[in-house]
Amino acid sequence: MPNDMVQNTSIFTRRESKARSYCRGMPAVFDTARGSELFDADGNRFIDFLAGCSSLNYGHNDPDLKAALIDHIASDGLAHGLDLHTGAKGAFLTAFEDHILKPRHMDHKVMFTGPTGANAVEAAMKLARKVTGRTNIIAFTNGFHGVTMGALAATGNGYHRGGAAMDKAGVTRMPFDGYAEGVDSAALLDQMLGDPSGGIDAPAAILFETVQGEGGLNAASADWVRKMQDIAHKHGALLIIDDIQAGCGRTGTFFSFEEMDVQPDIVTMAKSISGFGLPMALMLVRPQHDVFGPAEHNGTFRGNTHAFVTARAAIEKFWATDAFQRELAEKSMLLTTALSDIADLVPGAVLKGRGLMQGVDVGSGELAARICARAYEMGLVIETSGPNDEVVKILAPLTTPASLFREGFDILTQAARDVLGELKLAAE
Amino acid sequence: MPNDMVQNTSIFTRRESKARSYCRGMPAVFDTARGSELFDADGNRFIDFLAGCSSLNYGHNDPDLKAALIDHIASDGLAHGLDLHTGAKGAFLTAFEDHILKPRHMDHKVMFTGPTGANAVEAAMKLARKVTGRTNIIAFTNGFHGVTMGALAATGNGYHRGGAAMDKAGVTRMPFDGYAEGVDSAALLDQMLGDPSGGIDAPAAILFETVQGEGGLNAASADWVRKMQDIAHKHGALLIIDDIQAGCGRTGTFFSFEEMDVQPDIVTMAKSISGFGLPMALMLVRPQHDVFGPAEHNGTFRGNTHAFVTARAAIEKFWATDAFQRELAEKSMLLTTALSDIADLVPGAVLKGRGLMQGVDVGSGELAARICARAYEMGLVIETSGPNDEVVKILAPLTTPASLFREGFDILTQAARDVLGELKLAAE
Amino acid sequence: MPNDMVQNTSIFTRRESKARSYCRGMPAVFDTARGSELFDADGNRFIDFLAGCSSLNYGHNDPDLKAALIDHIASDGLAHGLDLHTGAKGAFLTAFEDHILKPRHMDHKVMFTGPTGANAVEAAMKLARKVTGRTNIIAFTNGFHGVTMGALAATGNGYHRGGAAMDKAGVTRMPFDGYAEGVDSAALLDQMLGDPSGGIDAPAAILFETVQGEGGLNAASADWVRKMQDIAHKHGALLIIDDIQAGCGRTGTFFSFEEMDVQPDIVTMAKSISGFGLPMALMLVRPQHDVFGPAEHNGTFRGNTHAFVTARAAIEKFWATDAFQRELAEKSMLLTTALSDIADLVPGAVLKGRGLMQGVDVGSGELAARICARAYEMGLVIETSGPNDEVVKILAPLTTPASLFREGFDILTQAARDVLGELKLAAE
Amino acid sequence: MPNDMVQNTSIFTRRESKARSYCRGMPAVFDTARGSELFDADGNRFIDFLAGCSSLNYGHNDPDLKAALIDHIASDGLAHGLDLHTGAKGAFLTAFEDHILKPRHMDHKVMFTGPTGANAVEAAMKLARKVTGRTNIIAFTNGFHGVTMGALAATGNGYHRGGAAMDKAGVTRMPFDGYAEGVDSAALLDQMLGDPSGGIDAPAAILFETVQGEGGLNAASADWVRKMQDIAHKHGALLIIDDIQAGCGRTGTFFSFEEMDVQPDIVTMAKSISGFGLPMALMLVRPQHDVFGPAEHNGTFRGNTHAFVTARAAIEKFWATDAFQRELAEKSMLLTTALSDIADLVPGAVLKGRGLMQGVDVGSGELAARICARAYEMGLVIETSGPNDEVVKILAPLTTPASLFREGFDILTQAARDVLGELKLAAE
């Protein structure tokens, strides 16, 4: 366990807004990081099972990406290029076409939105509305798509919704796959959309994550995702898959949906797309729906050239062959096994999620919070998820070596044991 | 004039969305840049009078900022830190407090929003609504605040508004300072807000740019800005100044409003705040209004550590003493003189803006476009602004040396002469 | 069958808007009416199984109501009284208190809204929002609540919703009782409202009809209605029952919900409340929710004194004792029997509704329309209902004598036989 | 002065909602009325200078209208006819065509909306949106158009707007003619609509009253109204004149705009259109804009046959020749003279309005309220108007005989004298 973690944080208290969050439960002042390890100002080491909420799928400061970035900067490579043509963007697009789109038979165009996931979602929602001339977008219980006004309308979380302090328009909420016992949510949506008096306006799009990262690691079945595609097209709507958290290998394949036999009209990506944790977001859109006029959706930072450099390097390093993907399959199994062991400790606990995006629903937010807090004391950075924060969620870098994985799980297991022991004592 | 600018741009045509824009009129593939100069893949050189739309106020790849960034990366400094405490963030906050906030007697808290200007505006609008329990925000003709749904409601531009393909709520539009002949827009706003049947719901905030960067370089008078502050507070609203384009020295002082004797409740910043063109945005908020709960407004990239590094270096290099600001005053005069000469060439032309954010209204979008296109051919990157794109706008890096300024103006003058000569010929 | 029904309708064609509707399928020019019979300009007689869409529950020109009205007018009784105290209003309120509210142990206050059902619904929605400080109102598939913007948001019918030509806000749509096979719509609503990430904003009210008059005569079970009351109160919302079409005895009791052991926070009434077909609407509201300020919801015609006169007379004539209600029970059985006979003629036909608000779902809108058209030719005024207009709906005056009922059913039966015969012939 | 006005009003206190309003300041229980006189239960007589807020332009119980109505009812004439053809409707349409539309060269179609002014306004706004495919409607300071959600968005009054307890969409507010000193509100609107970055979405309609009845009797000039027509058509919008309060002769001609050389695309009417104070509303629409489908905008009471009977009788009695209109011209002058005398009593008082729709702005709502209260004590029913209720408003029946007019003015003058005397005493 890290010693002497009391660093000077007065500048944050004095000048940073109360909206700050992660630093409240994990108050260390972090300075450096390599792979799956973080180090604070006093040299304390932490294992990272959070990975910037899946923004660091290839770990911190991957040496090849880092070298490419330093090389770019050192040679006065452009840092900011609006949406001008740049060599860095061209190289990224070429790599993305060669190693991602072509092998998956995807004819999508790439639109660089503002470099936040929310911005990509906003662009997707606007585009679907422009394409269809309709306003209504179907979103789901526990979906999380960002907190700017357009995206927030689609986000289910009440705490975030409340932050807008005004009503949000243009979204109809439906139960997600498996949400309500006995409810076939695909059939219900299809029936309501098909009913002339169903009261749901004709939709511009159906929008969801295949695995709800913030909503509790609820994983949609391939069958349900296919049905959503069918329902969308039957009712003249676009299928938008928000792959911001579940994409870039997190579920075991580059896209979370690629083994589901669907072809989304729009895919949103962010978080790990730069490969290095740099702000970058994009939207993939089928050519027939690529109808924004020049700069109709714009933004100053839509050409983060540094991110293009690392994104290209990441694509080439991890996705040019299938070696990495095969590794992910193995690690997913390892993760499932390890989490099963932890789940066995907690009465009623349930495994959630899939691939490298799994967690344990321990039944209560309070218990989950205590386990994560205890783990942090022992040097593991990890967070909860779910409507009541009741899921202990593992989002380790995909590149985490097996030994570190094991070390992290050992901490987590011990944390669970400690907390459950304390609870048992308190109950006696 | 650059020769051989026909580079291979087929990857962009093939895979980039039609939403791309700047690259259409300026098709070179840019690779490197230093100070106020850009270089394309073939080594052609361009003078940059656009500066990433004011995102590169300190020029491209400033050597000190660049060194700090490379040093940070080389030593495995954190790239992505969510809103955890990081040394880089602490150092930025300390520099920002010491050199910006304290000397200006500002007690504001700093909130790192998602790293786009639009995200900072969304956060500001949400916060004002949360603080006041009201929805309505007063925005102005020709204001530009971003294109995500919340911010877009405040943006005046019809082309961008149309991109949403749905109605936007929560904003009342009023004429900007000097917009309509004979209309005292402050008095009109005050009267309508004070009238129980005025039909404008009690406002949460009054939101504007002191110089409308996209709207045609319309500069509000200090008197009008003070009146807006008075009206806001009289009617229980917050004053939000969007200093995204006009801030960071662009008008001659760090904030665009600092010689106006106002204290905005909220200030939004982005573009040049990182100093290096990296995605970063923040919101300054008076402590009494700092009421977002933890992560109530959140976003994956709200801790772009690379940007913190360069932002700190920029603050320390340019704003620790008043030398830079004095330089800006001189350059502003130089700019006014040079633009006056160009304006003299065009019958009816009018100077717009202030500080290093000036331009010439040449009376028609077509004429302005032709002048900029001709200038580009001669190696000058420059763009237009205004409701009809009728203003040739100069947004050169603030650090542009006098000689380069002169070279750029010579090109612009020649471009104007060429185009006016062609028009004269065509008319004969 | 009426002869010579070709009357001069050119003035309607020439000057009445294309929005006119009933007159298209039933083009006679009606002049007089008594009880359950209508007469056109040429003396042709029609039996009325439509009753002004349940606005004429006591038939046309009931002699006692008529006498009271003529007496009032002849003695220069007030016709229009805004919301001043009038003797007529006082007498109505006294009768309504004595014979309706008190015996049912209802402590509700009476608010006279503008004299349309939609206006009462608008007032109810506004009031629920004012009481709770929330915006969201839960409404249901196939609900019909009017076509003004506030009420229309709650109405499910897509044709009517489209008429607004803009988005409607503030309503969440849920499946009605029995809507979707296997879906417990009460449990689903409760789960989504109780889920912090359910994505349905905390509701101001749950709003529905116990029998959906326009939506196809879908009757909610008492159990479901009670659950809705429980869910509303559990989640801090008001229960609003829209009894505009199903109230005033239509289902067999004065209120449609009175045998369900619920106490709605708000009840809306219109249609038959005047007893004579005159425009009148009101809202009943529990005293603790009676929080509109004076004239906060107002309207010029909220005191239709003529309607107060007939409404009082109707209450006193039909509801002072339980004789009328006992009659309704008998007639309901008669109606069920008669409709069963008709349903037997149509393969797959299903009985819908309850009380004197029943119909036959004949499976297709086309078939239902042909049956009604044929019935009209034979002198029966009747219409369809349901999302696809597939339900032949009986809304005869509650006072219709058995002999006329029988005559009407005979026509309807013959119409069904004729149409089915034609279809059989065509198929051969 | 009426004696013994303390009647039993306990039923109202006990059972009527707190939303009741007029009865608070004028607590008599009214029973009968003839012409311009009201009588309470105890036989006390009041002169009516309110006329049901202009719903009783032809006075109470006009003998010819009354006879026609009794005759209709006595002969079992239809009371409720949905939108079926009825003889009564045909006769009204014929009279309206002959005596109103044709002589004024108006080709408008008549649409019978729900029988409230608000419903007509809702229909007009929906239709303009349907016709243009646009949402935005321009409305004005101090406009009053009703309190249902669609109409309320256009209403300026903050108290009524607040009653909705949610945001209202689809309306842009502009200053009315003469609203703000030195502001040419027509030029401002035209400039903002014509500006691609003006921030006002392309409008579906421009909507206003030519004299703002509730907003303080502000009368638009003919020139301004014509400019609004020009601006509407120039920008592809419809011109909607809300003639609900100012129509039916109130300003001296049948329509308030008929001497202004405009041809509105839509006109809304209600209040006095039935002639007898019965609920009735309609919308006039140019044939090319008559695009609602059958029942697309509907409502149970859109065929109030009793109102058709009295409306026809009123048209034939008052508008078949120009005698009545000539009378109105004389009475308008009489009213102006009488009000000038009263205005002379109050320092700073200003005359407002035109025709038989005039009043005195006495400078404060408190003073106006006291004058009206004192007048009521002396037997005059009269109310205030304006954003601060600062205008004593005369809305006497147009048929008021000169002697009664004089009697009413004498009371009002005495009331003003009394109140001013009390104030002087109190100040000494």
Side-chain angles (χ1 to χ4, degrees), chain C residues 339 342-343 349-352 358-362 390-393:
Chain C
L339 286 176
I342 292 168
V350 177
L351 254 59
K352 303 288 295 284
Q358 295 188 59
V360 186
D361 179 343
V362 298
E390 71 279 25
V391 179
V392 176
K393 177 167 74 163

Side-chain angles (χ1 to χ4, degrees), chain A residues 157-193:
Chain A
N157 187 289
Y159 176 65
H160 289 105
R161 293 176 67 79
M166 74 174 277
D167 298 319
K168 284 150 290 288
V171 168
T172 294
R173 185 79 39 192
M174 291 297 296
F176 193 66
D177 190 20
Y179 179 75
E181 216 180 300
V183 174
D184 179 340
S185 68
L188 179 61
L189 175 60
D190 190 34
Q191 181 181 351
M192 289 176 79
L193 288 178

Side-chain angles (χ1 to χ4, degrees), chain D residues 27-94:
Chain D
V29 180
F30 296 97
D31 267 355
T32 58
R34 269 185 310 275
S36 303
E37 293 170 304
L38 289 155
F39 302 90
D40 74 6
D42 300 315
N44 296 304
R45 166 184 173 268
F46 295 79
I47 296 176
D48 188 356
F49 269 22
L50 176 49
C53 296
S54 205
S55 295
L56 293 155
N57 280 2
Y58 315 116
H60 295 268
N61 287 306
D62 175 276
D64 296 307
L65 277 56
K66 172 175 150 182
L69 179 57
I70 289 180
D71 184 56
H72 178 84
I73 301 172
S75 60
D76 284 333
L78 222 64
H80 184 283
L82 294 165
D83 66 357
L84 291 163
H85 296 146
T86 63
K89 181 160 72 175
F92 166 74
L93 281 170
T94 302

Side-chain angles (χ1 to χ4, degrees), chain A residues 21-22 50-55 140-147 155-160 176 209-219 242 244-246 271 352 357 383-393 395, chain B residues 82 295 298-300 302, chain C residues 195-198:
Chain A
S21 169
Y22 284 106
L50 177 49
C53 295
S54 205
S55 295
F140 294 86
T141 50
N142 290 298
F144 188 93
H145 304 284
V147 300
T155 289
N157 187 289
Y159 176 65
H160 289 105
F176 193 66
E209 309 143 279
T210 64
V211 185
Q212 298 183 314
E214 300 301 303
L217 300 177
N218 313 299
D242 177 341
I244 290 171
Q245 186 160 153
K271 294 201 184 270
K352 304 288 295 281
M357 190 174 185
E383 74 160 335
T384 61
S385 163
N388 296 297
D389 299 315
E390 72 278 26
V391 179
V392 176
K393 176 168 76 163
L395 287 177
Chain B
L82 293 165
N298 65 359
T300 295
R302 62 197 185 281
Chain C
D195 184 339
S197 286

